[in-house]
Amino acid sequence: MSHQTVLILDFGGQYNQLIARRVRECGVYCEVKPCSTPLEELRALDPIGIIFTGGPNSVYLDTSPHVDLDIFSWGVPILGICYGCQLLAYSLGGQVTPAQNDSAREYGKTVTDYDTSCVLFRDLPRQGVSWMSHGDYMVRVPDGFRLTARSANCPNVAIADETRNFYGVQFHPEVNHTENGVAMLRNFLFRVCHAAGDWTMEDYKHTALAAMREKIGNGRVLLALSGGVDSSVVAALLAEAVGSQLTCVFVDHGLMRLNEADEVEAAFSQWNVNFIRRDASARFLDKLAGVEEPERKRKIIGEEFIRVFEEEAKKIGAVDFLAQGTIYPDVIESGAGNAAVIKSHHNVGGLPDCVDFKEIIEPLRLLFKDEVRQLGRELGLPEYLVSRQPFPGPGLAIRIIGGITREKADLLRRADFIFRDEIAKAGEDKRLSQYFAVLTNTRSVGVMGDGRTYDYTLALRAVTTDDFMTADWARIPYEVLDKISVRIVNEVQGVNRVLYDITSKPPATVEWE
Ligand code: XMP
């Protein structure tokens, strides 16, 4: 069944996939297309509405991305966000310049007054906080437009031409910091574009299945399976799309959690899929010996994974595709487009330059974690798999700070197991999004029995989050923390001090490396 489509034209902003996600949350199908896409291709989507995204450029520069003016004659409603708003104004005859003084540049939370007679702000409060991030200023808006929102420093925070259904906002309605931002997007989608709002994750599943069948054809595909949520969802998707053409390869790199490799094997051998378990622990630990720098660790692991998959593919023969469970936060944090590199997730920034597969397929590349879980449920995956806490591909390698040894990995495994065990016993596991132990490379003095110890400091990390782009540290009851700490120092030789990490993301990240 075909669905109404909203076209999101990508001008390189940081939040573009977040806009797409918000549109999907409203039950409306959308496609994000680069702004360089030929106009005929965009027209062929037959969009009911178009959103111009933000972007890092200034519209008045020749080098900045622009849009073919023909798009304005389609009779399709347009919403411009940030750069998209300035582009709308500039393209239709307005004037945009660099802000003359600091106060006209706006970054962060800004109190904004809205004209609620404009359909974009209808039925919403007249005032609210909006999230701004722009250094340019619309000095003159084009003919036919009126100003529909203002802040203390800026009289033209939003513009509208209600006859042609063109709207522009300088702020970002898609981010949580903008009060009622989603309601504004809903007004655009439902009151301006008259979207039906009947698109669901089930539709996404059908679209993804059809796309995978078309891409893979009669070919063979090897899936890099870690047993985590993302790769398990890809396994379910590909199993349904291409059945026995799929082989799932689980590589044990020696840095899994306690019993994990056996558990993954037990879970997947019950499925009707080709499953291979490969023990590559010796060679991974060998390559990682003496490596301390986190980015180096990720690159080594990313490369080694690929080499093992290539070897397995050769054994199967004629494998064209390598599938991965990459999701959107992996892509953006690895520095996609203009975004800064936060950490090179092993499956994105950690990939080697040369890969011996015709193509890498990543059906979840545009989804956020909670959407992946929803898709997993649609595909009929058992709840225990869908709601599992994530475990990063590089495993304990990025939870052992500094150099990695088998002994350190064993020590961390035992401590991490105790942490998870006590969290489950306390019934806290459902509430926490992710929780694990980290072996720091700090040692400190302790006293045990009557003797001095000089042992490792272990850190516990537990967070709550929806999408893993931001996260809060979890308020675990003191009694539970106490039990965990007592058990770890008593049962794990080599640890004499336990810390609890009380930092949110940002400014920290979830993992320590
Ligand atoms: P950060 O540390 O970036 O973590 O705040 C966000 C989420 O991503 C996971 N993570 C990774 N997953 N390969 C993965 O498959 C990686 O290199 C990687 N680094 C972080 C992390 O466990 C958390 O769920």
Side-chain angles (χ1 to χ4, degrees), residues 298 330 333 343-347 390-394 398-399 434 468 505 509-511 513:
R298 283 158 192 282
D330 304 345
E333 296 198 343
K343 49 181 81 173
S344 305
H345 285 227
H346 77 287
N347 48 341
F391 183 64
I398 54 169
R399 294 178 180 171
Q434 196 170 7
F468 291 86
K505 171 185 178 176
T509 53
V510 175
E511 303 287 348
E513 286 196 338

Side-chain angles (χ1 to χ4, degrees), residues 33-104:
K33 294 280 183 189
C35 57
S36 55
T37 310
L39 211 61
E40 318 79 73
E41 203 180 304
L42 301 180
R43 191 79 205 251
L45 294 172
D46 192 20
I48 59 164
I50 301 171
I51 298 177
F52 292 169
T53 75
N57 303 80
S58 291
V59 279
Y60 42 79
L61 300 178
D62 289 343
T63 47
S64 298
H66 290 116
V67 68
D68 191 323
L69 297 184
D70 190 51
I71 206 166
F72 299 106
S73 65
W74 293 358
V76 178
I78 296 177
L79 170 64
I81 295 176
C82 198
Y83 179 85
C85 171
Q86 291 157 9
L87 182 72
L88 188 67
Y90 180 82
S91 308
L92 294 172
Q95 197 186 351
V96 180
T97 61
Q100 291 308 315
N101 52 53
D102 283 348
S103 61

Side-chain angles (χ1 to χ4, degrees), residues 186-470:
R186 291 184 67 85
N187 276 344
F188 177 69
L189 295 171
F190 296 117
R191 287 178 156 157
V192 179
C193 305
H194 305 293
D198 57 358
W199 182 86
T200 62
M201 200 37 102
E202 193 189 346
D203 296 306
Y204 188 92
K205 177 183 90 172
H206 292 305
T207 312
L209 284 172
M212 287 298 111
R213 286 190 187 116
E214 189 182 334
K215 181 170 282 290
I216 297 165
N218 297 322
R220 288 203 186 135
V221 52
L222 187 149
L223 168 66
L225 180 82
S226 69
V229 183
D230 307 336
S231 58
S232 300
V233 170
V234 178
L237 184 74
L238 291 179
E240 190 165 335
V242 297
S244 60
Q245 292 159 253
L246 167 72
T247 303
C248 302
V249 177
F250 167 68
V251 175
D252 181 354
H253 50 23
L255 294 154
M256 306 299 290
R257 287 173 291 203
L258 198 69
N259 304 332
E260 179 126 33
D262 293 339
E263 283 168 17
V264 172
E265 181 166 5
F268 282 87
S269 10
Q270 287 171 11
W271 279 33
N272 191 18
V273 286
N274 304 315
F275 174 84
I276 294 173
R277 172 177 173 176
R278 167 89 184 262
D279 180 358
S281 50
R283 76 193 249 186
F284 271 87
L285 292 176
D286 228 34
K287 290 253 155 127
L288 287 166
V291 177
E292 299 199 345
E293 212 276 310
E295 284 292 280
R296 281 269 306 133
K297 287 184 185 175
R298 283 158 192 282
K299 302 240 166 179
I300 289 171
I301 291 170
E303 159 133 32
E304 216 44 35
F305 264 129
I306 292 289
R307 299 302 164 230
V308 178
F309 293 135
E310 285 170 348
E311 288 165 20
E312 290 302 322
K314 280 218 175 69
K315 290 185 203 160
I316 299 167
V319 176
D320 291 328
F321 303 98
L322 173 69
Q324 298 201 121
T326 310
I327 68 171
Y328 187 63
D330 304 345
V331 178
I332 195 76
E333 296 198 343
S334 295
N338 296 301
V341 178
I342 308 296
K343 49 181 81 173
S344 305
H345 285 227
H346 77 287
N347 48 341
V348 187
L351 279 182
D353 293 338
C354 192
V355 176
D356 196 11
F357 288 93
K358 193 168 108 191
E359 200 175 334
I360 294 184
I361 46 182
E362 302 177 311
L364 311 180
R365 197 176 166 89
L366 299 180
L367 296 187
F368 290 80
K369 194 85 186 184
D370 46 335
E371 294 180 303
V372 172
R373 293 192 207 276
Q374 244 180 298
L375 179 61
R377 290 187 184 103
E378 276 309 325
L379 286 159
L381 276 184
E383 191 56 34
Y384 82 88
L385 258 183
V386 173
S387 56
R388 267 189 111 190
Q389 63 158 322
F391 183 64
L396 303 184
I398 54 169
R399 294 178 180 171
I400 296 171
I401 310 305
I404 299 164
T405 60
R406 211 178 261 275
E407 295 66 40
K408 280 186 177 178
D410 284 339
L411 185 154
L412 178 56
R413 255 190 279 273
R414 290 202 302 279
D416 184 71
F417 179 80
I418 293 170
F419 185 24
R420 288 188 287 133
D421 186 43
E422 287 299 329
I423 287 292
K425 282 185 186 149
E428 289 279 313
D429 48 340
K430 303 274 174 308
R431 194 173 70 77
L432 305 182
S433 311
Q434 196 170 7
Y435 49 103
F436 52 88
V438 176
L439 184 62
T440 74
N441 53 359
T442 295
R443 286 177 189 227
S444 72
V445 174
V447 52
M448 264 183 144
D450 285 328
R452 176 188 193 266
T453 57
Y454 187 60
D455 284 335
Y456 282 112
T457 301
L458 187 102
L460 303 175
R461 177 78 163 138
V463 296
T464 52
T465 171
D466 283 333
D467 56 17
F468 291 86
M469 298 288 278
T470 59

